Amino acid sequence: MKLKIAIQKSGRLHDDSIKLLKECGIDINNGVNKLKTEASNFPLEVFFLRDDDIPQYIEDGVADIGIVGENVVLEKKKQVNIVEKLGFGKCRLSMAVPKSSEYNGVQDLHNTRIATSYPVIVEEFLKRNNVTAEIHEISGSVEIAPGIGLADAICDLVSSGSTLFMNGLKEVETVLKSEAVLAAYHHLQPEQSKLLDKLLFRIQAVKKAKNNKYVLLNAPNDKLQEIISLLPGMKSPTVLPLAEAGWSSVHSVLNENDFWDIIESLKAAGAQGILVVPIEKMVI
């Protein structure tokens, strides 16, 4: 029994999907132009597909799971389960209008023409906001639509916003925040579910590691309790005596989001020789 996974054959999520599987200890021979391959050390069969096709393959049970943009899952409206958000491929689906346009709120989109590759998501957004607009579905180069008179506004994926700026547009509404997700077939067999649980265990360990740093520092014993109080850790910090009397070595784990504030507080409390080490895997 093998677990069949679909990933993008090319595009922005392909490299990160392969990287994630490798970080999970899964060895994949990703040859040029190969549409199917197998892992050598995990019961996993890999299909390389167009991203827009992945939800359909999962719904049909051809693939058991797939790595795909959340925006694609929501747009295609296929019967699949999102089982894990993966933390990469982050972007937003946004409304944009010409820079010269006055924009005071979503009601300004009423009776406009909106060009997009995501008509389902846009229609739902407009309904939520009681806005009536004409949606023009186009498959590419959406940002050119206002300039050639096809539309008054667009809704497209945005990462940095530089493409909008270059085409004389400004971002005015965030319709959806998206990232890569692991999606699964609704009716997995018990054996496939067990394999998925094993894969999820590895993925979650990799994700936790990326969100945390291992910290080692030297602390004077008279400041030890104050320094320990600043370190949340997984349970509690590890404290070891140093060869120099009156000093201890303190080891802990810090979340990336709190990292700099806590490091500054540790320094102010008397910590010295602070070392920060990336964590490869983190199993709790």
Side-chain angles (χ1 to χ4, degrees), residues 2-195:
K2 291 184 183 297
L3 193 65
K4 296 172 290 185
I5 183 171
I7 66 174
Q8 281 189 355
K9 64 180 178 181
S10 61
R12 65 190 183 91
L13 297 187
H14 171 85
D15 291 344
D16 284 335
S17 299
I18 294 293
K19 181 183 177 185
L20 175 63
L21 293 176
K22 289 183 176 177
E23 288 173 337
C24 290
I26 299 172
D27 187 19
I28 294 172
N29 179 19
N30 182 26
V32 178
N33 295 325
K34 288 187 74 171
L35 298 179
K36 186 173 76 168
T37 190
E38 293 186 6
S40 61
N41 59 350
F42 190 88
L44 191 71
E45 189 173 9
V46 184
F47 302 150
F48 298 102
L49 305 172
R50 289 180 65 253
D51 60 339
D52 286 352
D53 294 336
I54 290 175
Q56 183 70 64
Y57 275 76
I58 298 172
E59 182 184 66
D60 292 343
V62 176
D64 302 316
I65 58 174
I67 296 176
V68 64
E70 187 177 7
N71 55 296
V72 176
V73 174
L74 296 176
E75 178 64 27
K76 296 302 179 182
K77 281 196 167 299
K78 301 301 179 183
Q79 294 298 307
V80 303
N81 289 330
I82 293 177
V83 294
E84 186 78 16
K85 294 192 175 187
L86 299 176
F88 61 82
K90 291 185 178 181
C91 60
R92 58 193 181 274
L93 187 64
S94 294
M95 291 284 183
V97 299
K99 290 178 187 175
S100 58
S101 298
E102 183 178 347
Y103 187 86
N104 299 303
V106 68
Q107 292 301 318
D108 285 355
L109 297 171
H110 192 68
N111 290 332
T112 60
R113 298 164 300 160
I114 302 172
T116 185
S117 301
Y118 297 91
V120 171
I121 295 174
V122 170
E123 184 175 1
E124 290 178 348
F125 172 79
L126 295 175
K127 282 182 180 178
R128 286 197 306 271
N129 289 280
N130 297 314
V131 172
T132 301
E134 184 180 330
I135 299 173
H136 290 264
E137 181 180 0
I138 54 179
S139 59
S141 301
V142 176
E143 61 277 350
I144 201 174
I148 61 176
L150 177 65
D152 306 300
I154 70 164
C155 187
D156 202 16
L157 290 181
V158 178
S159 293
S160 66
S162 59
T163 303
L164 294 180
F165 182 80
M166 289 167 55
N167 285 276
L169 301 173
K170 61 183 179 183
E171 189 176 356
V172 293
E173 295 284 344
T174 299
V175 175
L176 172 73
K177 290 183 178 179
S178 177
E179 63 184 272
V181 297
L182 186 68
Y185 178 54
H186 266 287
H187 306 294
L188 291 177
Q189 297 298 317
E191 296 87 350
Q192 294 165 323
S193 292
K194 287 179 182 178
L195 289 174

Side-chain angles (χ1 to χ4, degrees), residues 231-246:
L231 291 166
M234 288 181 285
K235 287 191 176 178
S236 66
T238 299
V239 180
L240 301 170
L242 291 180
E244 183 178 345

